[in-house]
């Protein structure tokens, strides 16, 4: 999908799965008794945006509140002191809830439009195809670096159980036993660091990552 197709709302405070040019869409742990090691179905994805100027900060209203129950564990590790990573840890639960609920409403209302555009189609595909994701999810931060556009690209790995399950095919939509990469660019605003857009995950290796859940 186009990276700069600006959706309806441009209100941001919080985040952020699921689709990037080279990133994999997420789903959830397979139902009890099912085996998720066969073939895979098509993966919803969105291509990364390529801004030609510095990021436009999203407008903000009230501070979004993440789900009370812990649906996803975000492990920051050695990057915990990075302000952009701290913003990701705070906002990811709301993004994950949108994936689990297969409802992009909260992203449209409270997140930057570029990020909404990147993930909304994947959520729509999941709803249309009956793909399901169930907590808990597990995400590990494996890197963070500044970009020429003034954002910070936070590199993450999402566990196999943080992927969509396809009940019809009886398999994961993305078969990634060792997890799948997802890179989220964060931008600093008056409300702190917020997810700005998904970026290419090329070069991110999740083979040796140990997930907390």
């Amino acid at each position: 999908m186009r990276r700069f197709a600006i959706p309806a709302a441009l209100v941001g405070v919080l985040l952020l799965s699921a689709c990037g040019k080279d990133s994999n869409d997420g789903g959830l742990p397979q139902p009890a008794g099912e085996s998720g090691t066969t073939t895979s179905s098509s993966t919803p994805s969105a291509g990364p945006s390529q801004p030609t100027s510095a990021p436009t900060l999203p407008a903000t209203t009230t501070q979004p509140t993440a789900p009370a129950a812990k649906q996803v564990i975000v492990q920051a590790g050695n990057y915990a002191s990075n302000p952009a990573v701290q913003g990701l840890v705070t906002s990811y639960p709301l993004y994950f809830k949108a994936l689990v609920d297969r409802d992009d409403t909260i992203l449209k209302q409270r997140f930057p439009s570029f990020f909404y555009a990147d993930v909304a189609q994947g959520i729509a595909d999941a709803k249309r195809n009956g793909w399901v994701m169930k907590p808990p999810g597990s995400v590990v931060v494996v890197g963070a670096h500044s970009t020429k556009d003034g954002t910070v690209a936070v590199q993450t790995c999402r566990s196999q159980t943080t992927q969509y399950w396809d009940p019809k095919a009886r398999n994961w939509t993305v078969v990634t036993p060792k997890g799948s990469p997802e890179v989220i660019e964060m931008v600093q605003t008056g409300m702190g660091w917020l997810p700005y857009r998904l970026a290419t995950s090329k070069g991110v290796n999740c083979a040796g990552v140990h997930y907390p859940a």
Side-chain angles (χ1 to χ4, degrees):
M1 66 182 282
R2 294 185 318 153
R3 180 66 71 156
F4 282 95
I6 310 267
L10 173 27
V11 184
V13 149
L14 247 82
L15 172 331
L16 27 116
S17 83
C19 318
K21 179 177 181 181
D22 297 307
S23 62
N24 294 319
D25 266 22
L28 158 66
Q30 72 181 60
E34 304 295 352
S35 172
T37 58
T38 55
T39 58
S40 62
S41 58
S42 60
T43 305
S45 63
S49 53
Q50 301 296 331
T52 56
S53 59
T56 299
L57 302 185
T60 59
T61 52
T62 57
Q63 180 82 26
T65 301
K70 179 163 284 190
Q71 291 190 320
V72 62
I73 298 172
V74 184
Q75 182 172 288
N78 296 333
Y79 303 93
S81 62
N82 187 305
V85 173
Q86 293 172 4
L88 176 69
V89 171
T90 300
S91 55
Y92 204 102
L94 206 59
Y95 165 40
F96 187 75
K97 184 178 188 304
L99 299 179
V100 171
D101 294 345
R102 295 175 301 181
D103 184 354
D104 64 13
T105 303
I106 196 164
L107 300 183
K108 181 186 298 184
Q109 294 175 340
R110 301 185 178 185
F111 286 73
S113 60
F114 287 159
F115 183 75
Y116 167 77
D118 286 345
V119 303
Q121 187 57 55
I123 292 175
D125 289 345
K127 187 172 184 178
R128 181 180 63 255
N129 291 309
W131 299 335
V132 296
M133 182 192 295
K134 299 177 184 177
S138 183
V139 177
V140 176
V141 176
V142 296
H145 65 271
S146 298
T147 75
K148 64 181 181 181
D149 298 317
T151 65
V152 173
V154 180
Q155 301 170 318
T156 70
C157 287
R158 300 167 48 143
S159 68
Q160 171 74 64
T161 56
T162 314
Q163 309 298 331
Y164 280 116
W165 170 261
D166 183 351
K168 296 177 182 177
R170 298 172 67 83
N171 193 26
W172 303 101
T173 59
V174 180
V175 181
T176 54
K178 297 183 182 299
S180 58
E182 180 178 61
V183 177
I184 300 172
E185 289 188 24
M186 304 293 292
V187 65
Q188 187 174 24
T189 74
M191 296 293 290
W193 286 88
L194 301 176
Y196 180 62
R197 63 187 174 189
L198 291 180
T200 176
S201 60
K202 182 177 181 180
V204 180
N205 187 352
C206 299
V209 174
H210 297 286
Y211 300 96

